[in-house]
Amino acid sequence: MIAEAGLAALWLAAALAALQLAMGWMGVSSQRTDLLAAVRPIAIIQAGLTGIAFLVLIYLFVTVDLSVALVAANDASTKPLLYKFAGTWGNHEGSMLMWVTILAVAGGAVAIFERRLNERTLIATLAAQAAIGLGFYAFLLFASNPFARLDPAPAEGQGLNPLLQDPGLAFHPPTLYLGYVGLSVAFSFAVGALVTRDVGTAFARAMRPWVLGAWILLTIGITAGSYWAYYELGWGGWWFWDPVENASLMPWLAATALLHSVTVLATREGLRAWTVMLAVVAFSMSMVGTFLVRSGILTSVHAFAVDPKRGTFILALLAIYIGGALALFGLRVGTVREGSRFDAVSREGSLVINNLLLSAILGIVLVGTLYPLIAESITGEKLSVGPPYFNSAAGPLALILVVVMAAGPIMRWRRDDLKATLTRLAVPLLLSALVLLLVILLAPGIRILPLLGLVAAAGVGLASLAPLWGRNLRRTPLYIWGMVIAHLGIAVSIAGMASESAFTKETLVAARIGELHRVGPYSVRLDDVQPVAGPNYTAIEGTVTAQRGAGKPFTLHPQTRNFPSPQTETNEAAITTVPDGQLYVVVGRADEQGRWQLRLWWKPFVTLIWAGGGLVALGGFLSLIGRVRREMRHAPPREFL
Amino acid sequence: MRKLLIWLPLALFLIFLGVFASGLISPESKTIPSKLVGKPMPGFALAPAVPGKPGLTSAELANGRPHLVNVFASWCVPCIAEAPQLRQLAEAGVPVYGIAIRDRPEDLARFLARNGDPFRAIGGDPNSSVQIALGSSGVPETFIVDGKGIIRKQHIGAINPEDVPGIMSALGDAR
Amino acid sequence: MPAAKYADEQLADPGKEKQAKALMETIRCLVCQGQSIADSNAEMAGDMRALIRTRIEAGEKPEAIRAWLIERYGDWVSFKPPLDELTWPLYVVPVLFLGLGIWIVSGRLKRRRKG
């Protein structure tokens, strides 16, 4: 019975979404207040109903109701509770239900909390959100019903793919989904504002927390994914410019640009059409990302359940939503008033350059990722576009971008003086020059990109603190702190990337038991290798003793795991983190003389890469709290509820 | 000009949509064909892979008759599946030569005893160097080489029963 | 079979090892899903690393080895796309994007100053 109740809730929610779209549409075009007034409650009830459907599915998974086909295929009574719970969205149907639930709940939240936006624009926004929801409801109800019954029910379920039984992977998809849905809300706001020709500060203020929230989650998702690849793939790499990684980077780049342009719109009423455009691009990038990952049209290191039929569906939605929004943009944007004026050298000017560079990087990543596909379909010739292209095309732009990032926050709105700005940046510039001198003296022969990275990171890191100079730190608004910390995080991350790229020490040897090898400041001895058995794999585990100089020796246990089905070998690197870097140890196969393949890396300050990512997310979070608190204080009283 | 600019995003989007759709219809192919098809066999001299059977040099392949050169290994599962077809070709008088990749003599002898031995000679390629020189990206792969030592065709993957006529006719063309 | 010499062992000369490593990072593994041979566990990737290290050791230039591999496997084997009639858009499109952006922005700034 309970599964049927879930399905009924889902059907009702879908019907309400249709109603929400229809009444919103009619209300906005006829301006009938009774229709307009009905839309908010409908959005809230719709959110409640999908929430119920999702909770029902979680309940079915946790109680292992094997009469439900989805549960029987993906759950097992022997699984730990965490994976019963996470198994709900560890499959296609469940993840789709999670997606519509987040979408509907976000719509409901907009209906409850948004009080400053013009009523018609808000209703148009909710109608757009319902239109997005309807596409996914249709797919869920007609092509991937999560509540379908299985008769007779089996005695035991088939369990979850063991490789997915990792706490990180259990929470990675929801993080990204929340990010994508945040961008869908921004998209709906943009469509709503275009419909009512109401692209102004209220629209920007309404959209900003959603963009910020999405951006924080995407930042966390990318940072965590990068660290996962670093420890799981076993060769010390942390970014491969792989299609799946690029698919997650593109929405982030667009969201970063949007975050900055929305600030110009909210504060100075500038960049109106551009901000609307970016909101559409950001959401389309998250759909393009989902499409690339799920359709399997590109080859990737990161394995995914791939299904071309689902690809077709996502592509159809992409065509309808984004094509529709861009057509609306073309029709309406001519009537959007031009924003207020500003000089090239000004805060706005720096934010425009920021947007320009981010868009160019986004274009490079998009074209580079898709180019092999385009080339093959035109000429039949296969080619690869990889790290050398992306690094040399996007790297220099990214460096210019961070320099602008250092200058922007200390420039005045509307008009500033280049000389004055440089004077304000004198100390950071001096630090950069010092670092340049030091690095060239201490590490001659360093490649140009890491060198510039270190130089920029030092200056930019210091300059990013400049907005705090001369302020009473206690009375500094939270969103200023947020900006400072996020910008500092970027500098920290770049310092880590440059240091890893320039100073990593590598030792690859075939080692006998008891032999001593050196990597960077460490001496490392392979003491023993033993077979061990895990729950669903067999492995060999090395016992490795490492010692830094004359310091205290310590033991590491790297593993190489073999999973029988599907036949996969993974290296579980043993990593020791110290304040100035990481020692990364992998033990591979043995040769016929009983020597083991030993891979050792000393990576100075590599942890800064992800620490920086964490700081960026933290900065975003502080900014979000600061903005929301401020909005709440200025918001008019509630009209209903 | 501004009008044009306004519609530019939609135009770009439609182009990308076309790329995605064409990608769905014809996904990236997964095989990497050798660029040496139509070019001479690279020079090599491989030691015998099993005792009692000659090794393989590229000079032997330019003796005026077309040949099959089969890149295989005892540890390769599809190689077992194509063994009957290779035997059938050898029985029809086609000279079949083998290049054994990363193989041990004892494993290879066992493989030949179990699956039959259609090979006139087998060269051992312990570190894939000849395989790489041939532009071959996996096992099994079969090259059709004409009498002058020119590579005429590359068959990627196992030779299935339905592939045999095509290979016979390619051998006929290579004469 | 054991891995070939130099599949997972470095060259004694650090300068040559650096050259070899830089090349390996840009050569695509033939049997993997989009990894370079520098970070793949596949045996064939190991053999390709051995081939590259052996040739660098013998004094061959990295770009000559890349060309030799491309002669056999096509441009697919190199992560560094060449600049030719097929790939020029890769290098032109970013410049075009940037140029277009600068043109739009500068046009608007000028108009603003006049007004």
Side-chain angles (χ1 to χ4, degrees):
Chain A
M1 257 327 277
I2 183 113
E4 282 68 30
L7 187 61
L10 204 56
W11 272 107
L12 265 176
L16 282 180
L19 195 65
Q20 184 178 330
L21 173 60
M23 290 180 77
W25 186 302
M26 291 190 306
V28 168
S29 50
S30 70
Q31 309 222 30
R32 273 177 53 189
T33 45
D34 54 334
L35 286 176
L36 289 175
V39 172
R40 280 195 199 217
I42 293 176
I44 296 163
I45 300 168
Q46 185 213 334
L49 284 167
T50 46
I52 290 172
F54 189 53
L55 287 178
V56 164
L57 193 65
I58 291 178
Y59 174 81
L60 293 172
F61 264 83
V62 170
T63 58
V64 197
D65 185 340
L66 295 170
S67 69
V68 174
L70 189 66
V71 177
N74 295 288
D75 204 4
S77 54
T78 52
K79 265 196 334 193
L81 184 65
L82 171 70
Y83 296 119
K84 284 180 185 165
F85 187 69
T88 315
W89 57 81
N91 55 77
H92 166 69
E93 287 83 354
S95 69
M96 290 297 294
L97 180 57
M98 179 183 229
W99 169 272
V100 294
T101 305
I102 300 173
L103 200 69
V105 169
V110 170
I112 294 174
F113 295 111
E114 184 48 51
R115 277 171 266 146
R116 294 183 73 180
L117 195 59
N118 171 311
E119 181 76 4
R120 273 183 74 220
T121 308
L122 177 67
I123 300 306
T125 301
L126 289 176
Q129 189 75 0
I132 299 174
L134 269 177
F136 288 94
Y137 282 122
F139 188 52
L140 206 52
L141 290 168
F142 297 121
S144 32
N145 175 9
F147 297 107
R149 290 280 188 183
L150 193 62
D151 191 32
E156 178 55 298
Q158 292 163 10
L160 179 72
N161 179 351
L163 282 176
L164 294 180
Q165 293 194 18
D166 177 294
L169 287 184
F171 293 101
H172 191 58
T175 311
L176 287 180
Y177 281 1
L178 281 165
Y180 290 171
V181 168
L183 292 181
S184 85
V185 176
F187 171 85
S188 296
F189 272 119
V191 170
L194 275 180
V195 166
T196 60
R197 296 181 173 87
D198 183 25
V199 184
T201 46
F203 150 74
R205 290 210 171 121
M207 184 164 88
R208 179 158 57 188
W210 294 94
V211 179
L212 246 178
W215 179 78
I216 295 164
L217 291 161
L218 293 175
T219 306
I220 294 172
I222 293 174
T223 308
S226 157
Y227 193 70
W228 180 83
Y230 172 75
Y231 80 72
E232 194 69 28
L233 294 182
W235 290 86
W238 54 272
W239 189 264
F240 301 88
W241 292 107
D242 176 88
V244 165
E245 294 170 352
N246 293 350
S248 72
L249 183 64
M250 288 189 287
W252 184 85
L253 288 169
T256 311
L258 178 58
L259 192 60
H260 292 87
S261 81
V262 87
T263 303
V264 176
L265 182 51
T267 327
R268 304 290 318 161
E269 293 217 68
L271 306 183
R272 292 164 191 262
W274 177 244
T275 301
V276 169
M277 186 71 233
L278 269 182
V280 175
V281 168
F283 179 54
S284 67
M285 282 305 143
S286 57
M287 286 197 69
V288 165
T290 314
F291 170 75
L292 290 180
V293 168
R294 294 282 167 189
S295 66
I297 65 169
L298 294 168
T299 325
S300 159
V301 194
H302 307 278
F304 268 94
V306 153
D307 185 343
K309 262 186 257 149
R310 288 167 201 166
T312 312
F313 163 75
I314 299 171
L315 192 63
L317 289 188
L318 186 73
I320 296 168
Y321 297 148
I322 308 304
L326 289 175
L328 184 67
F329 179 84
L331 291 173
R332 282 292 161 87
V333 83
T335 65
V336 170
R337 274 189 305 118
E338 215 176 286
S340 52
R341 301 165 188 176
F342 57 86
D343 203 72
V345 182
S346 66
R347 176 85 67 91
E348 291 98 317
S350 73
L351 288 167
V352 166
I353 298 172
N354 149 307
N355 269 241
L356 204 61
L357 291 168
L358 279 168
S359 309
I361 295 172
L362 175 61
I364 288 168
V365 177
L366 184 66
V367 171
T369 307
L370 293 176
Y371 205 75
L373 201 68
I374 302 172
E376 197 181 341
S377 67
I378 294 174
T379 63
E381 282 294 298
K382 293 176 75 69
L383 63 90
S384 300
V385 178
Y389 171 76
F390 290 111
N391 287 340
S392 58
L397 293 187
L399 278 175
I400 302 174
L401 180 62
V402 294
V403 172
V404 176
M405 180 189 91
I410 54 165
M411 290 172 108
R412 286 194 202 95
W413 292 104
R414 292 188 66 188
R415 181 180 290 248
D416 205 335
D417 179 44
L418 197 59
K419 228 189 212 161
T421 310
L422 285 176
T423 316
R424 271 172 258 156
L425 285 173
V427 180
L429 282 170
L430 221 60
L431 180 68
S432 275
L434 196 67
V435 170
L436 178 70
L437 211 66
L438 272 177
V439 176
I440 288 180
L441 281 178
L442 296 178
I446 183 173
R447 276 169 299 151
I448 183 80
L449 214 54
L451 170 67
L452 291 178
L454 286 172
V455 169
V460 169
L462 188 61
S464 64
L465 301 173
L468 296 178
W469 288 348
R471 267 182 186 268
N472 179 343
L473 292 186
R474 285 200 176 173
R475 302 190 61 182
T476 302
L478 216 45
Y479 58 83
I480 300 277
W481 277 104
M483 175 189 74
V484 165
I485 290 175
H487 285 180
L488 181 65
I490 297 278
V492 167
S493 199
I494 286 176
M497 295 173 197
S499 167
E500 194 270 347
S501 152
F503 306 128
T504 291
K505 295 272 182 286
E506 178 180 62
T507 302
L508 310 170
V509 285
R512 283 179 210 289
I513 301 290
E515 254 175 28
L516 204 63
H517 292 280
R518 299 198 59 84
V519 61
Y522 286 89
S523 52
V524 177
R525 192 179 65 224
L526 180 63
D527 288 330
D528 193 16
V529 180
Q530 287 294 333
V532 291
N536 45 27
Y537 59 86
T538 57
I540 51 147
E541 183 178 278
T543 303
V544 174
T545 305
Q547 189 178 18
R548 185 172 190 166
K552 198 165 164 264
F554 54 93
T555 311
L556 294 141
H557 291 285
Q559 286 188 349
T560 290
R561 292 182 185 168
N562 267 294
F563 292 85
S565 62
Q567 182 69 45
T568 5
E569 187 184 84
T570 63
N571 295 123
E572 301 288 314
I575 299 173
T576 298
T577 307
V578 287
D580 59 340
Q582 285 188 328
L583 174 68
Y584 188 112
V585 179
V586 177
V587 171
R589 297 179 203 121
D591 69 8
E592 302 204 320
Q593 289 106 49
R595 299 183 305 173
W596 296 89
Q597 193 196 104
L598 191 61
R599 307 202 289 262
L600 309 171
W601 283 278
W602 163 243
K603 293 179 171 286
F605 298 106
V606 66
T607 31
L608 293 185
I609 298 174
W610 307 288
L615 278 179
V616 173
L618 173 69
F621 187 65
L622 291 179
S623 186
L624 180 63
I625 294 178
R627 294 285 184 201
V628 168
R629 273 214 318 230
R630 218 172 125 104
E631 292 295 313
M632 289 289 178
R633 222 174 292 142
H634 294 105
R638 285 165 193 248
E639 289 155 17
F640 76 103
L641 285 178
Chain B
M1 203 61 220
R2 187 174 151 86
K3 262 247 151 71
L4 230 86
L5 217 56
I6 284 170
W7 292 102
L8 186 69
L10 185 61
L12 280 176
F13 174 71
L14 290 177
I15 292 172
F16 278 113
L17 213 58
V19 172
F20 294 145
S22 79
L24 266 185
I25 296 161
S26 58
E28 246 191 330
S29 64
K30 303 279 187 233
T31 54
I32 304 112
S34 171
K35 292 280 167 189
L36 290 188
V37 176
K39 295 199 178 129
M41 197 80 177
F44 62 84
L46 290 174
V50 277
K53 211 169 186 72
L56 189 63
T57 63
S58 50
E60 279 170 57
L61 296 171
N63 64 354
R65 291 185 59 192
H67 315 78
L68 281 190
V69 177
N70 181 236
V71 182
F72 77 111
S74 69
W75 44 264
C76 140
V77 179
C79 296
I80 301 170
E82 72 170 359
Q85 283 69 255
L86 282 178
R87 280 206 309 275
Q88 185 191 338
L89 286 162
E91 279 156 20
V94 177
V96 180
Y97 293 88
I99 295 178
I101 308 299
R102 255 180 274 117
D103 231 327
R104 288 190 191 85
E106 59 272 24
D107 294 341
L108 196 55
R110 211 175 304 130
F111 177 85
L112 295 175
R114 190 172 299 158
N115 300 300
D117 180 0
F119 301 107
R120 300 210 173 171
I122 305 177
D125 189 10
N127 52 15
S128 313
S129 57
V130 172
Q131 185 185 23
I132 297 170
L134 276 172
S136 152
S137 49
V139 279
E141 277 186 20
T142 307
F143 291 84
I144 294 171
V145 185
D146 72 10
K148 295 194 202 93
I150 310 280
I151 299 173
R152 301 291 286 264
K153 193 175 153 60
Q154 179 195 22
H155 181 91
I156 296 174
I159 298 174
N160 295 318
E162 65 271 21
D163 298 328
V164 174
I167 286 180
M168 287 302 279
S169 76
L171 281 163
D173 294 344
R175 209 169 289 277
Chain C
M1 278 297 276
K5 184 175 159 63
Y6 288 143
D8 297 294
E9 277 169 75
Q10 289 155 300
L11 294 171
D13 177 349
K16 286 188 167 175
E17 171 64 22
K18 208 170 165 187
Q19 284 188 353
K21 176 86 181 174
L23 177 61
M24 290 185 297
E25 280 170 354
T26 63
I27 297 297
R28 188 162 180 171
C29 167
L30 293 159
V31 291
C32 327
Q33 303 283 311
Q35 281 157 292
S36 81
I37 58 168
D39 42 33
S40 164
N41 285 334
E43 282 171 330
M44 189 162 182
D47 287 340
M48 289 177 83
R49 289 196 294 270
L51 180 128
I52 285 176
R53 284 204 177 99
T54 312
R55 290 188 163 208
I56 297 265
E57 169 93 298
E60 209 170 322
K61 287 270 168 291
E63 288 314 305
I65 303 172
R66 186 196 303 280
W68 186 86
L69 285 167
I70 289 176
E71 209 177 293
R72 274 144 185 89
Y73 293 104
D75 288 331
W76 188 88
V77 79
S78 166
F79 271 127
K80 193 161 134 191
L83 180 56
D84 58 23
E85 68 274 17
L86 178 62
T87 55
W88 62 265
L90 264 179
Y91 295 89
V92 171
V93 163
V95 180
L96 210 70
F97 276 159
L98 209 58
L100 186 74
I102 292 171
W103 179 68
I104 295 173
V105 171
S106 67
R108 309 205 85 175
L109 283 176
K110 259 183 228 146
R111 210 165 350 163
R112 282 187 171 119
R113 269 200 210 111
K114 265 184 237 151

